[in-house]
Amino acid sequence: MEPVRLSVLDRSRTREGHTHPEALRDTVRLAQELERLGYHRFWVSEHHGVPGVAGSAPTVLAAAVAGATRTIRVGTGGVMLPNHRPLVVAEQFGVLESLFPGRIDMGLGRSVGFTDGVRRALGRDKGDAEDFEVQLGELLGWFRGTSPTGVHARPAEGLSVPPFVLAMGEGAGIAARAGLPMVIGDLRNRERIRRGIDHYRDLFRPSPWAAEPYVVVSGTIAVAATPEEARRLLIPEAWSMAYSRTHGTFPPLPPAERVAARAMTEKERGLYESGLTGHIAGTEEQVAHELETVLKETGAQEVLVTTSTYDREALLDSYRRLAAITSG
């Protein structure tokens, strides 16, 4: 297939029998490996109070990743802006860009906590997500020195940290009106992705941050020697998602063979089977064909891979195989 810009979002998923600190160190090590493989970006996520995710402070983790690497771009996928004051977010990214100039990305999302308890702990509620567009404008203003407060964000003011909007629902329109690059997923709902991208391109207004639309499609991609091995990579996350939908929290990822031995309710089984479908998974030839189709359908300039699984060695092998088939 034609070469494509390839990036990774690692959620620092915890695994059964392993600790949260191990998950964070795994993320840093993975970034180092992906840098050697030629990946373009490496992003980390923000989750609070989730047993299955160690990454609760993305700008802190991004600093550790950037400090352990030299060339790969590092950023967030993303900082959930409604959880924070825009000034503080600007300051954090200003520090990152000052320490690692020309390598930092500012991926921003509009989610607010996964549960009511987490939202209460953050001092937020679901309605705060509705203020995302205003908060985004305020955040970008701190970098440009246009805040009406008379306050200056140090060291952010005057720096150029590329912002990206994680587009779910209203996100496509917000990204377009702000003139920002957009990240959209997931790959299981191709029609929804195409509608979102069309909406974004139709409404896009050039800005100091981007002269034209820039689309990153994101989703799970698994590559292995056989289709069965690729499917095995999907099993831990599919079960974790099914569990979260029925119990209200994401658990640590179990080994694939443990999932097969688990008893599931009819609802859990249905959610689990659904979680295994629609992803790009298979051998190099199968994945190359499917990925090429997605890129032709969407016209995306970049792919952000979001695969999580228990077997870290198999995950790295998948990334090696993916890099080989997309490097031309």
Side-chain angles (χ1 to χ4, degrees), residues 8-319:
V8 166
L9 166 64
D10 190 72
R11 294 191 177 91
S12 303
R13 292 288 269 117
T14 55
R15 299 178 292 155
E16 286 187 1
H18 298 267
T19 65
H20 286 85
E22 283 181 277
L24 295 171
R25 289 192 289 268
D26 283 344
T27 290
V28 175
R29 282 193 292 267
L30 180 61
Q32 293 172 319
E33 293 288 348
L34 295 179
E35 180 176 70
R36 285 191 278 271
L37 290 171
Y39 280 75
H40 183 60
R41 308 180 203 276
F42 187 90
W43 284 3
V44 296
S45 63
E46 175 182 341
H47 295 274
H48 300 283
V50 181
V53 182
S56 56
T59 53
V60 176
L61 184 52
V65 170
T69 55
R70 292 294 175 266
T71 57
I72 196 169
R73 296 196 64 87
V74 177
T76 56
V79 165
M80 296 300 130
L81 194 52
N83 292 339
H84 311 280
R85 294 302 307 164
L87 170 61
V88 176
V89 176
E91 290 171 336
Q92 291 172 344
F93 279 97
V95 169
L96 283 170
E97 177 64 22
S98 299
L99 292 172
F100 309 101
R103 292 180 55 210
I104 300 301
D105 299 323
M106 185 169 59
L108 305 162
R110 64 193 292 268
S111 296
V112 188
F114 181 63
T115 64
D116 289 337
V118 169
R119 287 189 286 271
R120 285 194 298 271
L122 291 169
R124 299 291 188 268
D125 59 46
K126 287 183 177 180
D128 288 313
E130 302 307 314
D131 298 328
F132 175 71
E133 190 163 9
V134 173
Q135 293 172 319
L136 178 62
E138 181 184 339
L139 172 60
L140 299 180
W142 288 116
F143 286 92
R144 303 189 69 197
T146 58
S147 171
T149 64
V151 175
H152 297 274
R154 311 291 187 197
E157 188 173 310
L159 297 180
S160 181
V161 182
F164 295 74
V165 171
L166 276 62
M168 302 298 287
E170 290 297 312
I174 292 171
R177 289 188 291 272
L180 301 182
M182 177 183 73
V183 182
I184 188 166
D186 66 41
L187 293 171
R188 289 179 297 174
N189 194 333
R190 308 287 174 81
E191 183 56 37
R192 183 180 180 216
I193 284 181
R194 285 194 295 270
R195 287 198 306 269
I197 291 172
D198 289 343
H199 185 59
Y200 167 70
R201 290 188 174 126
D202 287 344
L203 297 180
F204 185 86
R205 302 172 184 168
S207 75
W209 303 98
E212 57 188 24
Y214 188 90
V215 174
V216 183
V217 291
S218 68
T220 295
I221 302 176
V223 195
T226 66
E228 293 74 24
E229 289 177 50
R231 186 179 185 277
R232 185 175 178 274
L233 281 168
L234 306 177
I235 288 173
E237 183 72 6
W239 178 83
S240 180
M241 289 291 291
Y243 186 93
S244 74
R245 295 280 298 277
T246 52
H247 293 78
T249 187
F250 284 91
L253 295 174
E257 56 272 18
R258 294 259 321 261
V259 175
R262 287 182 186 270
M264 298 186 199
T265 65
E266 185 177 347
K267 183 177 181 181
E268 285 174 331
R269 176 66 63 180
L271 291 167
Y272 167 66
E273 294 293 346
S274 175
L276 290 172
T277 62
H279 304 292
I280 296 179
T283 63
E284 284 94 330
E285 184 179 2
Q286 291 170 323
V287 167
H289 173 74
E290 189 66 24
L291 188 54
E292 203 160 29
T293 299
V294 169
L295 293 171
K296 286 178 180 176
E297 289 177 350
T298 63
Q301 290 97 328
E302 186 173 339
V303 178
L304 180 71
V305 187
T306 61
T307 309
S308 296
T309 195
Y310 179 89
D311 188 335
R312 298 293 291 191
E313 200 49 55
L315 178 64
L316 180 56
D317 181 65
S318 176
Y319 281 132

